[in-house]
Amino acid sequence: MNYDYLIVGAGLYGAVFAHEARKKGKSCLVIDKREHLGGNIYCEEIKGIQVHKYGAHILHTSNKKVWDYMNQFCEFNQYINSPVAMYKDELYNLPFNMNTFSKLWGIRTPAEAKKIIQSQIASLNIIEPKNLEEQALSLVGTDVYEKLIKGYTEKQWGRSCRDLPAFIIKRLPLRFTYDNNYFNDRYQGIPIGGYTKVIEKMLEGVDVQLNTDYLENRQELNKLSKNIIYTGMIDAYFDYKLGVLEYRSVRFETEELDTDNFQGNAVINYTEKEVPFTRIIEHKHFEFGNQPVTVISKEYPSEWSKGEEPYYPINNDKNNALYEEYRKLAQMESRIIFGGRLGEYKYYDMDKVIEAALLKAEEILV
Ligand code: FAD
């Protein structure tokens, strides 16, 4: 046994845990099947622009401990996420706020906006929403739903809002101030220099082996440590013996463009069904870049099948019940801890992943 811990996955969960373990004097080997560090927060530099290869990532949190923790590894810039929605050549500010309502209805005051929304909701007379469409209509009324929610959601899930369960949308926050800041959190920003550098810093002094799939080499790798932190897919660990947990996937089409500013904003959502992608990300705007060229990524949601990159867990009753069975199996594995978004089959924002990894480190590292 060469190491105190073998950590499977060089994503945020694995890197935070490894950093904490090293601080406590434990030796760690971090392995990843990919050719780079960082998991899904990995950024690749193209023409001086940090390109978020697995989807745009903005750190936002109200947890001061997490914010301070991350600030040890980098300085954050002042980026505030203020996405814009494009519906049939009409542009609307997001999240739904007074700028959105003013553009939709030509009104000025919160009282006018509330009156329109309430009258649209009342005219629908939905008592108990039977599906996502009815749920959304009963929360925001017809116009916001038709122009800004319906098409986007149907593209994201690959089916009609009438065939999606109501529980997917619990709340749809409406903001009656002229405030385009998407997140309500106290802290947000993008690491200056990119996320990959943050992970490199976390892993300073830790042994790392890339291009190494744990599941393909588990016999030899298990000999290296008696304690394993596993942040890969929980069902894959058990050879899918109880069934396959489902995900939604995304295909990214990234292009370099010979212009200094393509869309004037980091994130533009395309909310009509006819446009096949959901968003265009223009990466340089996350870091106020002034390069003469730009890089954009179009995001195409897609069905996921085994062997492809899993992005969003589909936490419906069927998958949650299956995960619960896997979790019970996992509890019987005395030397392995399952963590992170794939190990716990959970949509986890970065701050929650950091919190979870710190908590686990506190619990088990002595
Ligand atoms: P991962 O980053 O997936 O790391 C797991 C690592 O394990 C991977 O590198 C993988 O290659 C490796 N691995 C898996 N199996 C094996 C194996 N068998 N052998 C070896 N290695 C293996 N959060 C935010 O807070 N803000 C955002 O704006 C945001 N945007 C997002 C956008 C998208 C499209 C998605 C999908 C997520 C977004 N998130 C965002 C969430 C964020 O990506 C996660 O919180 C975070 O990346 C999870 O870290 P992790 O370590 O759990 O998982």
Side-chain angles (χ1 to χ4, degrees), residues 8-14 31-34 36 38-41 54-60 183 212-215 230-233 250 252 279 299 311-312 339-342 347-351 353:
V8 180
L12 196 50
Y13 190 100
I31 61 162
D32 205 295
K33 63 181 179 184
R34 295 181 183 170
H36 58 73
N40 277 9
I41 67 172
Y54 301 92
H57 278 78
I58 301 131
L59 183 78
H60 56 97
F183 298 118
T212 306
D213 191 323
Y214 171 75
L215 300 176
Y230 175 85
T231 70
M233 294 161 76
V250 193
F252 299 99
R279 309 197 291 183
E299 298 186 354
Y311 282 96
Y312 299 103
R341 67 180 191 105
L342 302 169
Y347 180 84
Y348 250 148
D349 269 332
M350 289 183 280
D351 60 332
V353 166

Side-chain angles (χ1 to χ4, degrees), residues 12 59 95 114 125 136 161-162 194 261 266 318 326:
L12 196 50
L59 183 78
K114 283 181 189 168
N125 201 23
C161 286
R162 287 192 206 112
N261 189 359
K318 179 181 138 223
Y326 277 120

Side-chain angles (χ1 to χ4, degrees), residues 31 33 54 105-106 109 170 180 191 244 326 329:
I31 61 162
K33 63 181 179 184
Y54 301 92
W105 304 309
T109 67
K170 292 198 179 72
N180 296 330
V244 178
Y326 277 120
L329 282 185

Side-chain angles (χ1 to χ4, degrees), residues 167-219:
F167 80 84
I168 292 182
I169 293 184
K170 292 198 179 72
R171 294 179 332 112
L172 276 172
L174 298 173
R175 198 181 276 165
F176 293 97
T177 50
Y178 288 91
D179 176 3
N180 296 330
N181 179 352
Y182 194 77
F183 298 118
N184 287 317
D185 284 316
R186 171 72 182 79
Y187 309 102
Q188 72 177 296
I190 303 281
I192 295 171
Y195 287 99
T196 315
K197 284 220 174 77
V198 173
I199 299 287
E200 280 167 8
K201 212 137 186 223
M202 284 178 179
L203 292 177
E204 267 171 16
V206 173
D207 287 355
V208 174
Q209 204 174 296
L210 298 173
N211 301 306
T212 306
D213 191 323
Y214 171 75
L215 300 176
E216 284 172 11
N217 305 284
R218 68 171 111 185
Q219 270 187 345

Side-chain angles (χ1 to χ4, degrees), residues 4 18-26 361-362 365-366:
D4 293 317
H19 183 80
E20 292 306 296
R22 189 180 168 270
K23 257 183 11 198
K24 290 262 162 76
K26 308 289 181 198
E362 230 168 76
L365 295 170
V366 279

Side-chain angles (χ1 to χ4, degrees), residues 239-251:
D239 277 332
Y240 307 99
K241 67 179 175 192
L242 303 176
V244 178
L245 291 166
E246 295 169 302
Y247 289 84
R248 283 291 288 165
S249 198
V250 193
R251 183 169 59 82

Side-chain angles (χ1 to χ4, degrees), residues 235-298:
D235 53 353
Y237 177 88
F238 292 106
D239 277 332
Y240 307 99
K241 67 179 175 192
L242 303 176
V244 178
L245 291 166
E246 295 169 302
Y247 289 84
R248 283 291 288 165
S249 198
V250 193
R251 183 169 59 82
F252 299 99
E253 237 174 48
T254 296
E255 305 168 59
E256 273 177 55
L257 301 177
D258 198 13
T259 171
D260 65 333
N261 189 359
F262 170 70
Q263 63 182 15
N265 203 37
V267 183
I268 297 202
N269 290 5
Y270 285 76
T271 59
E272 63 190 273
K273 186 105 187 273
E274 291 67 30
V275 175
F277 44 84
T278 44
R279 309 197 291 183
I280 298 185
I281 304 299
E282 188 170 9
H283 300 269
K284 69 191 302 182
H285 296 309
F286 286 123
E287 43 185 7
F288 311 100
N290 51 17
Q291 299 82 357
V293 292
T294 195
V295 179
I296 61 163
S297 298
K298 291 182 181 150

